[in-house]
Amino acid sequence: MLPEKSRKYFLVFASYVFYASWKWQFCFLLLGLSLFNWAFGRWVLASAKTMRPLVVGILINLAALVYFKYTNFLIANAAAVADLLGVSWRPSPADIILPLGISFFTFQGIAYLFDVAAGDEPFESLTDFLLFKSFWPQLIAGPIVRLHEMRPQIEAMRAVDYSDVSEGGRRILQGAFKKMVLADNIAPYVEMVFVQGAAPNAIDAFTATLGFALQIYFDFSAYSDIAIGTARLFGFRFPENFNWPYAAFSPQDFWNRWHMTLSRWIRDYLFTPMTFASRRRPQLAPLWLLLAMAICGLWHGAQWTFVLWGVWHGVLLAANHTFARSFFAEPQRNQVVRRIVQTAVTVVLVCAGWILFRATSVEQAASMFTTILTLKGGLHAAVLRENAILIIGLIAIALFVLQSARQPFARLFESSMAAQTLVRWSRPIGYAAMLAAVIIFDQEAKAFVYFQF
């Protein structure tokens, strides 16, 4: 309904109101970083002859992230090192509130400076850049959108049409279903096992690990669905962030399907520059993989468990490219058994990493690994009840069936009029059932897992 010239101003204003609804003071942080990146990209990097200005720009972006997210982490580890050296130092933690979504909009700003330094034209319009940086669907938890993905859409004339509203509504409903019906109902069972003081048996630890693998997938892909769907309501198309990650046949394939915008960010702005800098020593590539994934883990949180999770995936990716390359090679379509074995091994390895990701400390993670590997308690649960184990098992089986049947059904749908008729009649029933389930399970608001990052 607004005049076309006013629409971008309205979206920028609405995005800042959205962010201010959490804590209005941090709007100035978002605005300050946005103004710096726009001006620095337009007037410094666009004419820079060396990489030194880019390094300065990256460091300024990282300064805000390090201060708010890692100050207490650095202080605690410095105190631990002082203890090892025999120096008694007990600093008090700094009273710092972590700004919502700072990891995401900081990485987006770094990517923008990188792209401009690599030759992309910077935004000339400040309004266009502020919309690119703050558009609310992706502001808090991604997807991490990049310059080449958004500038044509921001600068183009857009109008709301039925296909955008229809697809946007479907994605929002799918996201709400994943979050409210699946992720939020799995979360209490996972918490019971990972809470401090719990003494789980092997069946508890295994079920909670599987449950967290499902919870974080449904939770984060739900946010991505809602973000992508909301953007479609305004004519914007965000990149996909998930593509059935637990159907991956290798660690590399997993990262090509899981949080895909972050995976591409790590590849393009960390791993590729490091390997290029040491291109005459290709044997160092596994080391750069480890370092890049360790940084990815640290980006998720200021805890050693996250760093170890990143290192674990770095080890898996390095193995994928070296001694395990033949095992994880992409299977042919007729190699069904090979594909099943590869997927099973990949899921087990990924779930082992989720223990590190979910554990509250390295000690708890080690205890969980020990509990599972020693089969403590056998099949007797000490924390969870049978219904919790059954529910998580049934959801895992349902997800396995869905991801296994999607391609055969897609081929059947293309060749069969009966299948197309069935889908046409059953789709509205499915949407109605999902909507009813969302209403029934909408009892207590729970934050998205990735809001803490």
Side-chain angles (χ1 to χ4, degrees):
M1 295 171 62
L2 290 173
E4 187 153 345
K5 291 183 179 179
S6 304
R7 293 175 185 174
K8 292 178 184 177
Y9 296 108
F10 172 77
L11 289 177
V12 172
F13 175 75
S15 297
Y16 274 84
V17 169
F18 172 79
Y19 196 66
S21 66
W22 173 70
K23 198 168 184 64
W24 64 268
Q25 293 90 336
F26 285 123
C27 282
F28 294 105
L29 172 65
L30 174 62
L31 180 61
L33 286 174
S34 299
L35 292 175
F36 166 76
N37 285 318
W38 173 72
F40 197 79
R42 183 176 180 187
W43 288 307
V44 178
L45 289 182
S47 58
K49 303 300 182 183
T50 67
M51 298 298 290
R52 192 171 299 169
L54 173 61
V55 174
V56 172
I58 291 173
L59 290 177
I60 291 175
N61 278 274
L62 287 178
L65 181 63
V66 170
Y67 171 74
F68 284 103
K69 193 167 184 176
Y70 301 105
T71 296
N72 284 322
F73 177 72
L74 294 172
I75 290 173
N77 282 278
V81 172
D83 276 347
L84 291 176
L85 297 175
V87 178
S88 180
W89 182 45
R90 297 289 184 272
S92 300
D95 186 15
I96 298 174
I97 299 174
L98 181 66
L100 201 60
I102 187 172
S103 296
F104 287 90
F105 62 73
T106 299
F107 268 29
Q108 185 189 31
I110 291 173
Y112 175 76
L113 297 183
F114 235 111
D115 291 341
V116 171
D120 287 357
E121 288 295 322
F123 276 106
E124 292 190 6
S125 166
L126 175 59
T127 304
D128 287 357
F129 182 80
L130 290 177
L131 180 56
F132 163 73
K133 198 82 168 62
S134 66
F135 188 37
W136 81 82
Q138 54 82 42
L139 177 60
I140 305 301
I144 303 174
V145 296
R146 289 161 62 174
L147 176 59
H148 70 275
E149 295 167 335
M150 290 298 293
R151 178 163 53 192
Q153 301 184 69
I154 291 174
E155 294 177 347
M157 310 273 279
R158 288 183 321 283
V160 177
D161 59 31
Y162 175 79
S163 63
D164 284 333
V165 174
S166 173
E167 177 60 20
R170 280 196 292 266
R171 292 300 292 268
I172 292 171
L173 177 58
Q174 290 169 12
F177 180 83
K178 287 180 182 177
K179 171 63 175 170
M180 298 180 188
V181 179
L182 296 175
D184 286 356
N185 283 284
I186 294 173
Y189 303 131
V190 176
E191 179 66 22
M192 289 170 63
V193 177
F194 279 94
V195 70
Q196 288 287 353
N201 283 342
I203 189 68
D204 300 305
F206 175 81
T207 303
T209 301
L210 179 61
F212 182 69
L214 296 170
Q215 177 200 351
I216 195 169
Y217 167 60
F218 290 134
D219 192 284
F220 193 22
S221 65
Y223 186 91
S224 295
D225 285 338
I226 294 170
I228 291 169
T230 304
R232 283 295 293 269
L233 297 182
F234 296 90
F236 291 94
R237 298 185 179 226
F238 285 172
E240 292 294 336
N241 217 19
F242 290 89
N243 180 24
W244 300 92
Y246 295 132
F249 58 84
S250 69
Q252 180 179 352
D253 190 36
F254 173 80
W255 280 101
N256 287 334
R257 297 166 176 266
W258 177 274
H259 201 349
M260 295 186 288
T261 56
L262 176 63
S263 300
R264 290 193 289 268
W265 196 101
I266 296 295
R267 180 196 66 196
D268 294 345
Y269 302 116
L270 278 179
F271 179 68
T272 299
M274 287 189 290
T275 52
F276 180 78
S278 62
R279 57 192 177 278
R280 295 179 181 176
R281 304 178 69 181
Q283 68 274 17
L284 293 179
L287 176 62
W288 302 140
L289 266 176
L290 284 173
L291 180 58
M293 293 308 297
I295 294 172
C296 174
L298 187 60
W299 173 85
H300 279 83
Q303 295 180 29
W304 284 111
T305 50
F306 290 120
V307 176
L308 292 175
W309 171 78
V311 170
W312 171 248
H313 276 280
V315 170
L316 296 182
L317 289 170
N320 195 158
H321 287 84
T322 53
F323 65 87
R325 180 185 299 177
S326 58
F327 176 80
F328 286 122
E330 183 172 0
Q332 300 297 320
R333 179 175 291 184
N334 60 346
Q335 295 177 312
V336 177
V337 175
R338 176 185 174 88
R339 178 68 181 245
I340 292 173
V341 172
Q342 288 176 309
T343 301
V345 171
T346 300
V347 169
V348 169
L349 295 173
V350 168
C351 284
W354 287 136
I355 293 177
L356 293 166
F357 194 95
R358 179 59 180 82
T360 57
S361 65
V362 175
E363 292 76 15
Q364 187 187 53
S367 175
M368 294 288 284
F369 281 119
T370 302
T371 297
I372 293 175
L373 294 175
T374 60
L375 298 178
K376 177 185 174 183
L379 297 177
H380 298 287
V383 178
L384 298 175
R385 294 185 176 181
E386 289 77 6
N387 66 326
I389 298 171
L390 179 63
I391 289 170
I392 291 175
L394 289 176
I395 293 174
I397 292 171
L399 180 61
F400 172 77
V401 171
L402 277 175
Q403 65 186 26
S404 300
R406 73 189 193 284
Q407 291 182 348
F409 184 79
R411 291 193 291 268
L412 177 64
F413 179 80
E414 292 175 357
S415 60
S416 171
M417 290 296 296
Q420 295 174 21
T421 302
L422 176 64
V423 169
R424 187 166 59 250
W425 283 97
S426 61
R427 182 176 288 165
I429 298 173
Y431 291 146
M434 290 170 65
L435 187 57
V438 167
I439 294 171
I440 292 169
F441 285 95
D442 183 19
Q443 298 176 1
E444 181 183 352
K446 296 180 181 178
F448 287 92
V449 172
Y450 264 68
F451 277 12
Q452 64 183 295
F453 307 134

